[in-house]
Amino acid sequence: MSKIELLSYEFDVTAGDFIRGGESASQIKNVMQQLGVDSKIVKKICVACYEAEMNMVIHSFGGKIKATIFKDSIEMKFHDEGPGIEDIELAMKVGYSTASDDARNMGFGAGMGLPNIKKNSDEFEIESYKGKGTEIKLVINL
Ligand SMILES: Nc1ncnc2c1ncn2[C@@H]1O[C@H](COP(=O)(O)OP(=O)(O)OP(=O)(O)O)[C@@H](O)[C@H]1O
Ligand SMILES: [Mg+2]
């Protein structure tokens, strides 16, 4: 039996847009709060979404976020257009970062984003191809 979708949202993420970067995470947060989801779960969703969204702003050429809410879970997909990650195992390590000086000056680049996304997710998959792009799929149980 397939799960019934209650709501779904799509957002565009623009590379380098630090002004709008984080808006998707904050909109998803509002929806989850309105649905009465436990605040600890809302926090996990918000952290995972914000980190994946900002990775697209900082490291990618731009992409899309799709969030689908089911009765008992939220699924989020982050798909970008490149440049992709050559060594995913290395990128998943705490402290590994290729963030630019500009991004570091804005407080990014601790190399904590991907590990935190995984930690806050109940299911986590990452696929990436150098020159093609990156796709992250995660599920957080409500
Ligand atoms: N969407 C992406 N496209 C290309 N490379 C990425 C992407 N997301 C992550 N990376 C690569 O993986 C590295 C680790 O990502 P992670 O989010 O853990 O750290 P960070 O973004 O560098 O720093 P922080 O998230 O702590 O601000 C990045 O520095 C970058 O090299
Ligand atoms: Mg990051």
Side-chain angles (χ1 to χ4, degrees):
M1 199 173 73
S2 66
K3 290 197 288 181
I4 298 164
E5 275 186 36
L6 299 181
L7 290 163
S8 89
Y9 298 89
E10 248 186 81
F11 305 92
D12 286 317
V13 179
T14 308
D17 189 348
F18 288 91
I19 309 272
R20 285 180 53 228
E23 268 185 14
S24 319
S26 113
Q27 286 189 38
I28 290 170
K29 181 185 173 186
N30 286 341
V31 171
M32 299 323 287
Q33 281 173 336
Q34 276 166 29
L35 290 173
V37 173
D38 182 276
S39 63
K40 285 196 191 106
I41 309 273
V42 175
K43 199 168 171 200
K44 283 166 63 168
I45 295 167
C46 196
V47 168
C49 186
Y50 179 78
E51 292 296 344
E53 181 177 6
M54 292 316 295
N55 275 356
M56 287 165 85
V57 171
I58 294 168
H59 306 293
S60 91
F61 302 149
K64 280 189 191 303
I65 301 175
K66 191 172 179 205
T68 311
I69 300 166
F70 301 93
K71 188 170 171 285
D72 298 322
S73 64
I74 179 168
E75 177 190 277
M76 288 187 275
K77 285 181 179 167
F78 305 84
H79 181 264
D80 70 54
E81 300 301 324
I85 302 171
E86 198 156 14
D87 185 340
I88 293 178
E89 207 181 315
L90 182 62
M92 290 299 304
K93 288 212 165 99
V94 170
Y96 176 80
S97 176
T98 60
S100 66
D101 287 345
D102 281 352
R104 286 172 196 272
N105 285 336
M106 282 184 272
F108 300 98
M112 291 300 296
L114 288 174
N116 270 334
I117 297 167
K118 189 174 179 189
K119 197 175 83 188
N120 283 288
S121 302
D122 293 296
E123 286 172 40
F124 172 85
E125 282 168 39
I126 179 167
E127 232 178 283
S128 187
Y129 298 96
K130 187 91 187 147
K132 284 208 167 147
T134 302
E135 190 164 332
I136 289 177
K137 184 185 149 187
L138 63 87
V139 175
I140 295 173
N141 298 327
L142 304 181

